[in-house]
PDB file of all heavy atoms in Angstrom:
ATOM      1  N   MET A   1       0.814  -1.207  -0.021  1.00 95.00           N
ATOM      2  CA  MET A   1      -0.021  -0.012  -0.026  1.00 95.00           C
ATOM      3  C   MET A   1       0.847   1.209   0.000  1.00 95.00           C
ATOM      4  O   MET A   1       0.564   2.230  -0.682  1.00 95.00           O
ATOM      5  CB  MET A   1      -0.907  -0.001   1.222  1.00 95.00           C
ATOM      6  CG  MET A   1      -2.187  -0.834   1.024  1.00 95.00           C
ATOM      7  SD  MET A   1      -3.368  -0.205  -0.166  1.00 95.00           S
ATOM      8  CE  MET A   1      -3.947   1.199   0.726  1.00 95.00           C
ATOM      9  N   ALA A   2       1.958   1.181   0.755  1.00 95.00           N
ATOM     10  CA  ALA A   2       2.871   2.314   0.806  1.00 95.00           C
ATOM     11  C   ALA A   2       3.487   2.625  -0.579  1.00 95.00           C
ATOM     12  O   ALA A   2       3.610   3.748  -1.060  1.00 95.00           O
ATOM     13  CB  ALA A   2       3.992   2.098   1.823  1.00 95.00           C
ATOM     14  N   ALA A   3       3.859   1.587  -1.279  1.00 95.00           N
ATOM     15  CA  ALA A   3       4.438   1.638  -2.662  1.00 95.00           C
ATOM     16  C   ALA A   3       3.433   2.228  -3.586  1.00 95.00           C
ATOM     17  O   ALA A   3       3.744   3.095  -4.410  1.00 95.00           O
ATOM     18  CB  ALA A   3       4.932   0.300  -3.116  1.00 95.00           C
ATOM     19  N   LEU A   4       2.186   1.736  -3.508  1.00 95.00           N
ATOM     20  CA  LEU A   4       1.135   2.232  -4.378  1.00 95.00           C
ATOM     21  C   LEU A   4       0.795   3.717  -4.066  1.00 95.00           C
ATOM     22  O   LEU A   4       0.662   4.525  -5.006  1.00 95.00           O
ATOM     23  CB  LEU A   4      -0.137   1.390  -4.216  1.00 95.00           C
ATOM     24  CG  LEU A   4      -1.395   1.821  -5.057  1.00 95.00           C
ATOM     25  CD1 LEU A   4      -1.014   1.769  -6.557  1.00 95.00           C
ATOM     26  CD2 LEU A   4      -2.545   0.872  -4.786  1.00 95.00           C
ATOM     27  N   SER A   5       0.723   4.075  -2.811  1.00 94.00           N
ATOM     28  CA  SER A   5       0.396   5.430  -2.460  1.00 94.00           C
ATOM     29  C   SER A   5       1.519   6.414  -2.970  1.00 94.00           C
ATOM     30  O   SER A   5       1.129   7.475  -3.438  1.00 94.00           O
ATOM     31  CB  SER A   5       0.281   5.606  -0.912  1.00 94.00           C
ATOM     32  OG  SER A   5      -0.792   4.797  -0.450  1.00 94.00           O
ATOM     33  N   GLN A   6       2.753   6.016  -2.809  1.00 94.00           N
ATOM     34  CA  GLN A   6       3.834   6.898  -3.352  1.00 94.00           C
ATOM     35  C   GLN A   6       3.733   7.103  -4.801  1.00 94.00           C
ATOM     36  O   GLN A   6       3.932   8.175  -5.354  1.00 94.00           O
ATOM     37  CB  GLN A   6       5.101   6.261  -2.912  1.00 94.00           C
ATOM     38  CG  GLN A   6       5.442   6.328  -1.452  1.00 94.00           C
ATOM     39  CD  GLN A   6       6.763   5.640  -1.145  1.00 94.00           C
ATOM     40  OE1 GLN A   6       7.576   5.234  -1.999  1.00 94.00           O
ATOM     41  NE2 GLN A   6       7.001   5.380   0.172  1.00 94.00           N
ATOM     42  N   ASP A   7       3.448   6.024  -5.596  1.00 95.00           N
ATOM     43  CA  ASP A   7       3.251   6.114  -7.000  1.00 95.00           C
ATOM     44  C   ASP A   7       2.083   6.975  -7.354  1.00 95.00           C
ATOM     45  O   ASP A   7       2.185   7.814  -8.336  1.00 95.00           O
ATOM     46  CB  ASP A   7       3.138   4.744  -7.631  1.00 95.00           C
ATOM     47  CG  ASP A   7       3.001   4.782  -9.175  1.00 95.00           C
ATOM     48  OD1 ASP A   7       4.024   5.054  -9.768  1.00 95.00           O
ATOM     49  OD2 ASP A   7       1.842   4.617  -9.679  1.00 95.00           O
ATOM     50  N   LEU A   8       0.994   6.878  -6.610  1.00 94.00           N
ATOM     51  CA  LEU A   8      -0.205   7.658  -6.962  1.00 94.00           C
ATOM     52  C   LEU A   8       0.044   9.148  -6.627  1.00 94.00           C
ATOM     53  O   LEU A   8      -0.402  10.041  -7.422  1.00 94.00           O
ATOM     54  CB  LEU A   8      -1.384   7.161  -6.115  1.00 94.00           C
ATOM     55  CG  LEU A   8      -1.885   5.777  -6.438  1.00 94.00           C
ATOM     56  CD1 LEU A   8      -3.041   5.355  -5.471  1.00 94.00           C
ATOM     57  CD2 LEU A   8      -2.357   5.677  -7.861  1.00 94.00           C
ATOM     58  N   LEU A   9       0.744   9.433  -5.621  1.00 93.00           N
ATOM     59  CA  LEU A   9       1.093  10.825  -5.328  1.00 93.00           C
ATOM     60  C   LEU A   9       2.018  11.437  -6.329  1.00 93.00           C
ATOM     61  O   LEU A   9       1.826  12.572  -6.736  1.00 93.00           O
ATOM     62  CB  LEU A   9       1.780  10.929  -3.920  1.00 93.00           C
ATOM     63  CG  LEU A   9       0.849  10.761  -2.682  1.00 93.00           C
ATOM     64  CD1 LEU A   9       1.648  10.636  -1.437  1.00 93.00           C
ATOM     65  CD2 LEU A   9      -0.164  11.931  -2.579  1.00 93.00           C
ATOM     66  N   ALA A  10       2.962  10.618  -6.841  1.00 93.00           N
ATOM     67  CA  ALA A  10       3.927  11.110  -7.907  1.00 93.00           C
ATOM     68  C   ALA A  10       3.095  11.350  -9.150  1.00 93.00           C
ATOM     69  O   ALA A  10       3.357  12.348  -9.849  1.00 93.00           O
ATOM     70  CB  ALA A  10       5.002  10.085  -8.112  1.00 93.00           C
ATOM     71  N   ALA A  11       2.219  10.435  -9.516  1.00 93.00           N
ATOM     72  CA  ALA A  11       1.425  10.636 -10.754  1.00 93.00           C
ATOM     73  C   ALA A  11       0.530  11.812 -10.645  1.00 93.00           C
ATOM     74  O   ALA A  11       0.432  12.573 -11.563  1.00 93.00           O
ATOM     75  CB  ALA A  11       0.574   9.402 -10.936  1.00 93.00           C
ATOM     76  N   GLY A  12      -0.056  12.047  -9.448  1.00 90.00           N
ATOM     77  CA  GLY A  12      -0.933  13.204  -9.287  1.00 90.00           C
ATOM     78  C   GLY A  12      -0.130  14.520  -9.406  1.00 90.00           C
ATOM     79  O   GLY A  12      -0.636  15.495  -9.967  1.00 90.00           O
ATOM     80  N   SER A  13       1.080  14.527  -8.879  1.00 90.00           N
ATOM     81  CA  SER A  13       1.858  15.744  -8.936  1.00 90.00           C
ATOM     82  C   SER A  13       2.250  16.062 -10.424  1.00 90.00           C
ATOM     83  O   SER A  13       2.575  17.238 -10.664  1.00 90.00           O
ATOM     84  CB  SER A  13       3.174  15.564  -8.105  1.00 90.00           C
ATOM     85  OG  SER A  13       4.045  14.591  -8.628  1.00 90.00           O
ATOM     86  N   GLU A  14       2.225  15.097 -11.275  1.00 91.00           N
ATOM     87  CA  GLU A  14       2.521  15.298 -12.686  1.00 91.00           C
ATOM     88  C   GLU A  14       1.265  15.536 -13.472  1.00 91.00           C
ATOM     89  O   GLU A  14       1.278  15.600 -14.759  1.00 91.00           O
ATOM     90  CB  GLU A  14       3.307  14.104 -13.251  1.00 91.00           C
ATOM     91  CG  GLU A  14       4.598  13.864 -12.576  1.00 91.00           C
ATOM     92  CD  GLU A  14       5.280  12.501 -13.014  1.00 91.00           C
ATOM     93  OE1 GLU A  14       4.650  11.837 -13.888  1.00 91.00           O
ATOM     94  OE2 GLU A  14       6.401  12.260 -12.541  1.00 91.00           O
ATOM     95  N   GLY A  15       0.133  15.638 -12.826  1.00 89.00           N
ATOM     96  CA  GLY A  15      -1.083  15.873 -13.518  1.00 89.00           C
ATOM     97  C   GLY A  15      -1.722  14.647 -14.179  1.00 89.00           C
ATOM     98  O   GLY A  15      -2.558  14.739 -15.033  1.00 89.00           O
ATOM     99  N   LYS A  16      -1.277  13.452 -13.657  1.00 92.00           N
ATOM    100  CA  LYS A  16      -1.786  12.224 -14.332  1.00 92.00           C
ATOM    101  C   LYS A  16      -2.885  11.589 -13.481  1.00 92.00           C
ATOM    102  O   LYS A  16      -2.950  11.824 -12.311  1.00 92.00           O
ATOM    103  CB  LYS A  16      -0.620  11.233 -14.472  1.00 92.00           C
ATOM    104  CG  LYS A  16       0.416  11.651 -15.472  1.00 92.00           C
ATOM    105  CD  LYS A  16       1.559  10.652 -15.614  1.00 92.00           C
ATOM    106  CE  LYS A  16       2.598  11.124 -16.611  1.00 92.00           C
ATOM    107  NZ  LYS A  16       3.710  10.103 -16.775  1.00 92.00           N
ATOM    108  N   THR A  17      -3.695  10.826 -14.055  1.00 93.00           N
ATOM    109  CA  THR A  17      -4.766  10.101 -13.404  1.00 93.00           C
ATOM    110  C   THR A  17      -4.463   8.555 -13.508  1.00 93.00           C
ATOM    111  O   THR A  17      -4.090   8.127 -14.523  1.00 93.00           O
ATOM    112  CB  THR A  17      -6.169  10.355 -14.038  1.00 93.00           C
ATOM    113  OG1 THR A  17      -6.424  11.743 -13.918  1.00 93.00           O
ATOM    114  CG2 THR A  17      -7.215   9.595 -13.404  1.00 93.00           C
ATOM    115  N   VAL A  18      -4.695   7.855 -12.471  1.00 95.00           N
ATOM    116  CA  VAL A  18      -4.542   6.395 -12.429  1.00 95.00           C
ATOM    117  C   VAL A  18      -5.880   5.707 -12.339  1.00 95.00           C
ATOM    118  O   VAL A  18      -6.640   5.997 -11.390  1.00 95.00           O
ATOM    119  CB  VAL A  18      -3.585   5.987 -11.296  1.00 95.00           C
ATOM    120  CG1 VAL A  18      -3.337   4.415 -11.321  1.00 95.00           C
ATOM    121  CG2 VAL A  18      -2.213   6.719 -11.387  1.00 95.00           C
ATOM    122  N   LEU A  19      -6.111   4.838 -13.263  1.00 96.00           N
ATOM    123  CA  LEU A  19      -7.384   4.070 -13.303  1.00 96.00           C
ATOM    124  C   LEU A  19      -7.130   2.611 -13.100  1.00 96.00           C
ATOM    125  O   LEU A  19      -6.269   1.961 -13.763  1.00 96.00           O
ATOM    126  CB  LEU A  19      -8.091   4.283 -14.670  1.00 96.00           C
ATOM    127  CG  LEU A  19      -9.219   3.404 -15.026  1.00 96.00           C
ATOM    128  CD1 LEU A  19     -10.419   3.726 -14.106  1.00 96.00           C
ATOM    129  CD2 LEU A  19      -9.616   3.630 -16.456  1.00 96.00           C
ATOM    130  N   VAL A  20      -7.891   1.920 -12.241  1.00 96.00           N
ATOM    131  CA  VAL A  20      -7.928   0.505 -12.091  1.00 96.00           C
ATOM    132  C   VAL A  20      -9.300  -0.093 -12.569  1.00 96.00           C
ATOM    133  O   VAL A  20     -10.297   0.385 -11.987  1.00 96.00           O
ATOM    134  CB  VAL A  20      -7.599   0.080 -10.679  1.00 96.00           C
ATOM    135  CG1 VAL A  20      -7.777  -1.410 -10.512  1.00 96.00           C
ATOM    136  CG2 VAL A  20      -6.124   0.488 -10.341  1.00 96.00           C
ATOM    137  N   ILE A  21      -9.313  -0.990 -13.413  1.00 95.00           N
ATOM    138  CA  ILE A  21     -10.537  -1.685 -13.872  1.00 95.00           C
ATOM    139  C   ILE A  21     -10.513  -3.079 -13.399  1.00 95.00           C
ATOM    140  O   ILE A  21      -9.526  -3.832 -13.612  1.00 95.00           O
ATOM    141  CB  ILE A  21     -10.618  -1.608 -15.439  1.00 95.00           C
ATOM    142  CG1 ILE A  21     -10.694  -0.198 -15.960  1.00 95.00           C
ATOM    143  CG2 ILE A  21     -11.955  -2.400 -15.825  1.00 95.00           C
ATOM    144  CD1 ILE A  21     -10.748  -0.117 -17.438  1.00 95.00           C
ATOM    145  N   VAL A  22     -11.588  -3.534 -12.643  1.00 94.00           N
ATOM    146  CA  VAL A  22     -11.696  -4.873 -12.213  1.00 94.00           C
ATOM    147  C   VAL A  22     -12.817  -5.511 -12.929  1.00 94.00           C
ATOM    148  O   VAL A  22     -14.007  -5.145 -12.747  1.00 94.00           O
ATOM    149  CB  VAL A  22     -11.926  -4.939 -10.672  1.00 94.00           C
ATOM    150  CG1 VAL A  22     -11.965  -6.386 -10.209  1.00 94.00           C
ATOM    151  CG2 VAL A  22     -10.800  -4.163  -9.891  1.00 94.00           C
ATOM    152  N   ASP A  23     -12.578  -6.581 -13.712  1.00 92.00           N
ATOM    153  CA  ASP A  23     -13.647  -7.252 -14.536  1.00 92.00           C
ATOM    154  C   ASP A  23     -14.237  -8.389 -13.657  1.00 92.00           C
ATOM    155  O   ASP A  23     -13.549  -8.911 -12.730  1.00 92.00           O
ATOM    156  CB  ASP A  23     -13.076  -7.780 -15.784  1.00 92.00           C
ATOM    157  CG  ASP A  23     -14.127  -8.045 -16.853  1.00 92.00           C
ATOM    158  OD1 ASP A  23     -15.329  -7.738 -16.539  1.00 92.00           O
ATOM    159  OD2 ASP A  23     -13.829  -8.606 -17.871  1.00 92.00           O
ATOM    160  N   GLU A  24     -15.484  -8.706 -13.922  1.00 91.00           N
ATOM    161  CA  GLU A  24     -16.225  -9.749 -13.188  1.00 91.00           C
ATOM    162  C   GLU A  24     -16.161  -9.460 -11.620  1.00 91.00           C
ATOM    163  O   GLU A  24     -16.024 -10.352 -10.819  1.00 91.00           O
ATOM    164  CB  GLU A  24     -15.620 -11.156 -13.473  1.00 91.00           C
ATOM    165  CG  GLU A  24     -15.706 -11.556 -14.926  1.00 91.00           C
ATOM    166  CD  GLU A  24     -17.171 -11.733 -15.420  1.00 91.00           C
ATOM    167  OE1 GLU A  24     -18.050 -11.904 -14.592  1.00 91.00           O
ATOM    168  OE2 GLU A  24     -17.341 -11.716 -16.623  1.00 91.00           O
ATOM    169  N   ALA A  25     -16.354  -8.216 -11.328  1.00 90.00           N
ATOM    170  CA  ALA A  25     -16.190  -7.819  -9.940  1.00 90.00           C
ATOM    171  C   ALA A  25     -17.223  -8.352  -8.964  1.00 90.00           C
ATOM    172  O   ALA A  25     -17.047  -8.399  -7.750  1.00 90.00           O
ATOM    173  CB  ALA A  25     -16.177  -6.277  -9.845  1.00 90.00           C
ATOM    174  N   GLN A  26     -18.382  -8.885  -9.525  1.00 88.00           N
ATOM    175  CA  GLN A  26     -19.412  -9.467  -8.650  1.00 88.00           C
ATOM    176  C   GLN A  26     -18.883 -10.726  -7.996  1.00 88.00           C
ATOM    177  O   GLN A  26     -19.499 -11.201  -7.006  1.00 88.00           O
ATOM    178  CB  GLN A  26     -20.631  -9.737  -9.463  1.00 88.00           C
ATOM    179  CG  GLN A  26     -20.647 -11.022 -10.270  1.00 88.00           C
ATOM    180  CD  GLN A  26     -19.927 -10.885 -11.575  1.00 88.00           C
ATOM    181  OE1 GLN A  26     -19.508  -9.786 -11.973  1.00 88.00           O
ATOM    182  NE2 GLN A  26     -19.705 -12.001 -12.333  1.00 88.00           N
TER     183      GLN A  26
END
């Protein structure tokens, strides 16, 4: 979670959006 949070913060600071799609989520 720490690794993911750091990457998301870095992406956000660069104006990027991160999207996760989960198929068959039911």
Side-chain angles (χ1 to χ4, degrees):
M1 281 290 291
L4 179 59
S5 297
Q6 290 176 10
D7 181 73
L8 294 176
L9 286 169
S13 67
E14 297 173 2
K16 296 180 179 179
T17 298
V18 180
L19 167 68
V20 172
I21 300 176
V22 182
D23 202 6
E24 299 295 340
Q26 80 281 351

